[in-house]
Amino acid sequence: MEDSRDRVRISGDVHGQVVVGDHNIVVSAEQSVVTILTPAQRPECRRRDDPQLLPRRHRTAVGREEELAAIEAGMDAGGPMQVYGPSGTGKSTLLRMAAHRLSGRRDGVVFVDAASRDTGDVLQDVFEACYDAPGYRPGAIELRRLMANVGISLVLDDLECSSAELDVVLDTVTAAAVLYSAAQRSLWGEGPTLPLGGLGHDDASALLAQQLGRPLRADELPVAAELWRATAGSPGQLLRAVAEERLHHPAELADLLPNVLAELTAAEQEVLSLLDLAGAGGVSPGLLTALVAGPEQTTGAEETAGAAAAADSYERLVTLGLVVPTVLGLRISADVGAALPARLDLDTAALTALCERLRHWVEGPDRSPVGVAGDGALITAAIDAAARAGAAGAAAGLARAAAPVVACSLRLGVWGRVLELGRTAAERARDHGALAYLTHEQGIHRLVTGRRAAAAAAFAAAAEIWRRLGDSGHAGTAEDAGDLCGPDTGSASQPTGQESAAPQDATAGQEGTAPQDATAGHESTASQDPTAGQDAGSTGDFGTEFAQDPSGGLSSMPPVDPATATAAGAKGVTAAGVKGGLGLTAKVVIGGGLAVVTGVGVVLGQRALAPETVPVQVTVTTRVVEVSMPEGKQDDCLIQDGSTDCTSVVMSKKGERGPIGVEPTGPLPEGASILYWGCDEGPEATSCTVRADSARTVCVSTTSPADKAARETCAEETGAPPPKVRTEAVTVVAVDATGEARQGYTVVDRTGPEDSVLGCLTSPAAKSPDIVYCSPNAATADVCWVKDDRTTLLCGDDPWKKRLLQYVVNDGPVPATGPETEPIPWAMELADGTRCRLRTGGAGTSLPEEMVVMYYCGDTSIIVAQGPRTPLLDTSAPGWTVQTMDEAAVLRGDDSIPPRTEVVKVYYAGRD
């Protein structure tokens, strides 16, 4: 009989068929289908002879011969090598020239623009340049095998990634000589680095002359010298100083950019608006032309003329220093976006129109999936911006049109962003058909990237939505897809940003399913973990309406019937759960055996399988949850009042290796997770395995702030370094369900006509609906809870004062608002105790590296800054960090940038 799991139901237009790792995907506009391949069924990969993927040739880079010679020497030595420096120093130009210089030196040259792209997608570009294997994206291990002997010169422009992602790239292309650029140095001890600064005086004068197209006159030489000093020799700033065929004095530089922007044509302004929306990812010239010229071109001659006019506009924008050409297209210069006038911002109507035009472009005949993915920066930015601006329907429509096309490109990073942002838009638009489709496709994305428990949750949620819509066919296919899901085993393909960066946890299938602690009070806290917030596949992603428990049926171990517990334990049988009326309340897996405690006290303990055994001591110490322990626990074991302080010893067969897993008897506090010390994975691991070669000690606690002392105890008992600082996230709920102030808060009335506020939009710190930011800035109305009448607000001074300012909105009622997709903290506390609050208005001090002031810190001169290359919050470690600056020192002319500062607590705004 045919296995029902082998049946494939496909409906809608089939966009293509691709293979990711061991997964075959038939991509459809209504519902894609994934099946599992054996290694023998993988597509054939044919190695290309002498692969060449070079950028266009660039004119000679003035004053960079020494740097080019240093690059050639470093690459001849085998690399890796990094070029780093701030925006405007000419890194991209230098790397393009270097790529041509390196041609013929090794087995080929591959140049890839990595700006704002996931490293997994970048590696797919490299793979496709070196192999002919249409429709195939190898898994991580297979890719390393295929690239092991590919000795190319690999040039990666603007590779901004974490150290872990950089390691993945370098470990994948071990035979290649790698040259890459980034804003900050990230290569340490593995190869030469080349800091790229400004040009010298003579070279700066030569660059100005080149831009003018003639030698400098005698009266221009002093101006050139002043410009060199004022710009520190930055090529980008020097080029902008040449306008209208003359040199501008340094005193004119501040007004030069606003004046240039004011004189642009309407088409040029539209180009800048689109490029600003796309950010560092840029936009291809073809898409720009299609969007700016519009669909009105009716004849071939008109289309050719429109394309020629667009090309002239692009050339002018490049000449003015407003736009930077890249391998893939054009992107806005780093400092131009912040200077664009508000009138160039896209409003709701413009974003709606943009989504419709992008959808029309994506659905065009013969549209290349790789080309569409190449313009993923604009597509995803348009989806996000439109959903935020109230055009969620258009955003969801664009996501649904783009998703199957991008899936066929095999650029999983772009595909994942389209699905995630599109699903958010569909939720806001209440478009359940699009929501079901995008949720199902997200399940496939997570399955092929090794996130099986998260994939199961997505498939279950999609099936539930389709059943509520009366579509049993699609629901059945989603349920069939869920049958392919097992325990998470790590990424099945190259890393794709956050989704593949998180370590896998044996208990990951239960993330997000714990109910809220009813005793938690009015402020919910979450101690942050390296993986916290990264698992976009937790059931919480799909909302309570459609959430399913993904843990059922996903265990890698067979269940145990309590009736056979004694026999199973005597035979040393490994078990993972208990079915029947008793119900599993806790388990501790140790080595090759298992101890399971049920609600009525049924215990399975491992019996010695050989005379030679060693003790594995497991200590659970936590103040936030109770954990039942197996037999052999110490006499003074305390498991009560929601806490656990207990040690148990289980004898394991010597030399046996296996997992240790702890599941508490009740829900953990929101955001908290289990941590292990003394395991093979190292201290503070999210999963644990041990080899019982000798006596072992394992200590278990949680990431909760209440367990700070417990974590210190675990580190001490296992000889580990002191625990990492962990940032605590606090959601402040200052009002009750009706919007009235909670007990303990003082309300200050400011409802007079001189104190009214207006123009209310979603607060940047909002984690819940109906928390808004209103003008004017002087009102400090950036975190305001909307009352039931929708014209009265209660606004918080800061999260530490129990004071709320009551305002009346003079252009009300306030429309319903949702939470921010990526909220930023209302306030934060630094490691030294300094308190910083989100900036509300004010010009702010001019900072180096194009940074801007984001937070002022009490009565001190310390500020928290953010910039194009300086993230506000670095959440890659348990202790988040921010970039602080001493504003007084900056005003004195000190532009040095200190190390980032750890944050111990961040505050957001929410409501019940």
Side-chain angles (χ1 to χ4, degrees), residues 179-201:
L179 169 68
Y180 74 98
S181 66
Q184 303 289 339
R185 179 176 178 178
S186 57
L187 189 66
W188 302 93
E190 297 186 67
T193 59
L194 179 63
L196 198 62
L199 300 174
H201 175 268

Side-chain angles (χ1 to χ4, degrees), residues 867-883:
R869 306 296 181 188
T870 308
L872 175 59
L873 284 170
D874 183 346
T875 60
S876 59
W880 296 357
T881 63
V882 293
Q883 182 63 63

Side-chain angles (χ1 to χ4, degrees), residues 116-121 137 160-162 164-165 168 412-417 420-421 442 445-446 449-451 454 488 490-491 493-505 511 528-538 541 821-823 871 873-877 880 908:
S116 294
R117 302 182 64 205
D118 294 313
T119 51
D121 291 353
R137 175 162 170 154
E160 300 287 353
C161 63
S162 68
E165 291 170 327
V168 169
L412 301 186
V414 182
W415 186 30
R417 288 196 296 275
E420 180 64 26
L421 293 171
Q442 197 169 51
H445 180 273
R446 288 168 174 171
T449 53
R451 309 287 300 286
D488 287 1
S491 177
S493 116
Q494 303 102 300
T496 59
Q498 284 187 327
E499 285 216 344
S500 59
Q504 301 302 328
D505 185 350
E511 283 188 295
Q528 301 301 325
D529 170 79
T531 63
Q534 293 182 354
D535 185 359
S538 66
D541 276 356
T821 304
E822 297 179 1
L873 284 170
D874 183 346
T875 60
S876 59
W880 296 357
Y908 300 93

Side-chain angles (χ1 to χ4, degrees), residues 93 140 190 202 267 569 582 811 857:
T93 300
E190 297 186 67
D202 292 343
L582 297 179
D811 61 347
C857 300

